[in-house]
Amino acid sequence: MEKIVSLCKRRGFIFPGSEIYGGLANSWDYGPLGVELKNNIKKLWWQMFVHQRDDMVGIDAALLMNPNVWEASGHLGHFSDPLTECKTCHTRLRADELDRVCPNCGGKSFAEVKQFNLMLKTFLGPAEEQANVVYFRPETAQAMFVNFKNVLTTERRTLPFGIAQIGKAFRNEITPGNFIFRTREFEQMEIEYFVHEEEWKKHFQHWQQQMHMWFAATGIAKDQVHEREIPDGERAHYSKRTIDFEFDYPFGTKELYGLAYRTDFDLKNHFKEPPYKDEAGKAFYPHVVEPTWGVDRTILAVLLCAYQEEGERVVLKLHSKLAPYKVAVFPLLRNKPKLVEKAREIYDDLRKRFAVSWDDRGNIGKRYFAQDEIGTPSCITVDFQTLEDASVTVRDRDTMKQERVAIADLAALLAEKIR
Ligand code: GAP
């Protein structure tokens, strides 16, 4: 884990938040390569689950919602974790994760357990008074429920269909930590899939399979993923069935994603009248199957699976679709203007279609190593032969094999690798 955290900082994937001011409790900033990886993950998800399906539409809702939303959804009443405090060092701890001993000082005496609500509060407008209290959303899901009728009217959908959203969520976690695994500000990719009640099991199974397809598409190793059926009493207040997809992180096997059958709990709480009518004119409340993905946990799992050490070389074997740069272009020597000019021409041309890195420092070997470490699938070197026959050397990240390719064929070759 330390190696991943260090690589992320060293190579500009993820920096500690507000670092020059001493940081801010487990907040993290995505750097130049991190934002590319994150965007690629979100793009792939949108492609797979929105664009490639005809039963799905997306929304992008406000982070702050009317507090009545959270009253109706049950979050103000029930969205809490059990909190206790070590009587020796006064560290606040989650009672359900405590193993008899304080992880901070070894103390064995704790305060009475209280329920601590995880909603993050702020005020809208200049007066800090109760009437102006609003909450940052703790899940993107509720915006899909409260917009259900808007989507239905504008899109004229019939069951089954889904609404998808990617966006930030906030939770006042008692014990954030383990790098980007648990933070107070994070991002989710969620689907609320609306179905007939009698068909929920079929759709639940479908989404279970889709989540496995996602693991394959992102290179998350299937032998590191385990399904856990969440028993009665442990599920969220809205769920009748939940499966957690857990992942073997270096700090333990813990939740990566979730799949829940939310029944008609949410729509019933938000709409006084049934918001859906079938073709026969019968009004009712659709039921909901909800697959949910954390973006930051995806990044962590993807990086952990991709990270490999091969002798001296550190390589991120990222899926080409997710790699921050698809290709790097080098002139063999930086002090030969003809080579630099030709390499620049290729770089500028490829940049119209791909995310391309440029490097002319040090020797070729060092440049390959630097690109391996950030997961760039291909490196192109422009050498003296290029000036004679318009071909370049293309080196593959995983096999380290080099082949001679005509400049005219480069774009097609790269597109094929990404596909
Ligand atoms: N709408 C359902 C819902 O929010 P959840 O299991 O509480 O379900 C969904 O959250 C996903 O969001 C989790 O599976 C995880 O990937 C991510 N997530 C939840 N809390 C998080 C946190 N504090 N930090 C980072 N990711 C988190």
Side-chain angles (χ1 to χ4, degrees):
M1 184 74 168
E2 293 75 31
K3 286 179 178 169
I4 293 284
V5 178
S6 144
L7 184 145
C8 282
K9 169 133 202 248
R10 195 171 66 247
R11 299 308 311 274
F13 281 91
I14 303 171
F15 307 123
S18 316
E19 192 182 13
I20 62 167
Y21 285 98
L24 174 74
N26 298 286
S27 72
W28 299 94
D29 295 339
Y30 286 87
L33 298 192
V35 69
E36 296 293 338
L37 173 59
K38 197 181 203 193
N39 284 342
N40 291 341
I41 285 172
K42 293 194 278 185
K43 204 155 68 185
L44 178 65
W45 187 88
W46 201 264
Q47 238 171 25
M48 274 177 77
F49 299 125
V50 182
H51 286 170
Q52 288 176 11
R53 300 179 61 117
D54 57 11
D55 58 352
M56 196 76 72
V57 290
I59 62 165
D60 182 16
L63 299 184
L64 297 171
M65 302 177 80
N66 186 314
N68 291 334
V69 169
W70 308 114
E71 194 63 60
S73 68
H75 282 84
L76 288 180
H78 304 289
F79 195 57
S80 48
D81 278 336
L83 168 72
T84 186
E85 189 178 311
C86 171
K87 282 191 173 166
T88 316
C89 69
H90 302 289
T91 300
R92 297 189 153 194
L93 300 159
R94 258 178 75 168
D96 57 336
E97 289 185 342
L98 190 61
D99 195 12
R100 289 188 293 275
V101 183
C102 170
N104 189 42
C105 73
K108 290 185 181 160
S109 178
F110 301 96
E112 191 189 333
V113 176
K114 290 184 194 144
Q115 285 302 317
F116 175 76
N117 192 282
L118 301 180
M119 301 289 284
L120 201 69
K121 254 190 228 173
T122 189
F123 300 93
L124 268 196
E128 293 193 4
E129 57 196 22
Q130 188 56 31
N132 291 342
V133 166
V134 288
Y135 302 89
F136 287 98
R137 64 185 182 194
E139 57 172 9
T140 65
Q142 293 305 320
M144 272 93 91
F145 298 127
V146 302
N147 278 297
F148 177 78
K149 270 185 102 163
N150 286 336
V151 172
L152 203 60
T153 318
T154 52
E155 290 284 316
R156 281 173 289 145
R157 295 278 158 168
T158 54
L159 299 185
F161 77 94
I163 308 180
Q165 185 175 203
I166 300 178
K168 289 256 174 155
F170 298 80
R171 295 181 189 176
N172 204 2
E173 298 280 1
I174 299 168
T175 51
N178 288 321
F179 193 31
I180 52 171
F181 173 76
R182 182 173 287 129
T183 49
R184 295 190 171 114
E185 172 182 348
F186 56 96
E187 209 163 350
Q188 294 183 318
M189 307 185 283
E190 293 199 295
I191 290 167
E192 305 309 320
Y193 198 74
F194 301 96
V195 303
H196 289 280
E197 179 178 4
E198 58 279 14
E199 292 185 346
W200 78 265
K201 284 189 180 142
K202 178 178 92 180
H203 295 294
F204 193 93
Q205 217 172 39
H206 168 78
W207 283 106
Q208 196 175 354
Q209 284 160 3
Q210 291 297 302
M211 295 184 95
H212 284 284
M213 281 180 61
W214 173 256
F215 295 127
T218 48
I220 295 176
K222 64 173 186 229
D223 58 349
Q224 281 180 257
V225 175
H226 314 280
E227 289 186 11
R228 188 165 86 90
E229 186 77 42
I230 307 298
D232 289 349
E234 271 186 47
R235 285 191 298 270
H237 59 277
Y238 47 73
S239 171
K240 256 203 180 153
R241 183 179 178 199
T242 298
I243 290 178
D244 274 358
F245 293 82
E246 297 190 329
F247 179 78
D248 297 328
Y249 301 95
F251 45 86
T253 300
K254 293 183 188 297
E255 181 185 344
L256 173 59
Y257 306 139
L259 174 63
Y261 168 44
R262 289 182 82 127
T263 70
D264 55 0
F265 177 88
D266 301 274
L267 290 181
K268 261 198 173 143
N269 286 325
H270 291 307
F271 293 95
K272 287 199 182 71
E273 302 291 329
Y276 184 83
K277 271 192 190 143
D278 66 14
E279 275 139 32
K282 188 177 151 234
F284 62 94
Y285 291 92
H287 280 232
V288 172
V289 172
E290 177 197 64
T292 174
W293 292 253
V295 175
D296 311 84
R297 287 188 193 177
T298 306
I299 291 171
L300 186 53
V302 162
L303 286 173
L304 286 164
C305 291
Y307 183 92
Q308 291 189 19
E309 289 176 5
E310 294 175 352
E312 296 272 280
R313 163 173 117 113
V314 169
V315 53
L316 276 188
K317 293 200 169 168
L318 292 171
H319 190 298
S320 309
K321 269 208 162 102
L322 301 186
Y325 294 119
K326 308 307 172 205
V327 60
V329 178
F330 316 142
L332 180 66
L333 299 167
R334 71 190 298 185
N335 58 359
K336 297 285 173 205
K338 285 222 159 82
L339 294 184
V340 174
E341 190 188 330
K342 193 74 203 164
R344 200 83 208 172
E345 210 178 277
I346 295 171
Y347 171 67
D348 284 338
D349 186 49
L350 292 177
R351 271 200 300 166
K352 291 176 194 146
R353 289 184 56 188
F354 307 100
V356 190
S357 171
W358 170 269
D359 196 357
D360 59 7
R361 296 158 307 169
N363 62 42
I364 293 288
K366 280 199 179 133
R367 295 181 207 162
Y368 285 155
F369 269 42
Q371 294 297 331
D372 287 345
E373 206 182 29
I374 60 172
T376 309
S378 305
C379 293
I380 293 172
T381 304
V382 170
D383 54 21
F384 293 105
Q385 193 183 326
T386 311
L387 304 178
E388 286 163 21
D389 67 2
S391 73
V392 291
T393 303
V394 179
R395 184 259 197 185
D396 182 90
R397 176 195 69 197
D398 298 341
T399 62
M400 294 194 282
K401 288 214 172 95
Q402 301 182 15
E403 57 177 330
R404 209 70 206 173
V405 177
I407 294 171
D409 297 338
L410 280 176
L413 178 85
L414 295 174
E416 179 58 26
K417 280 200 177 199
I418 294 163
R419 198 171 66 81

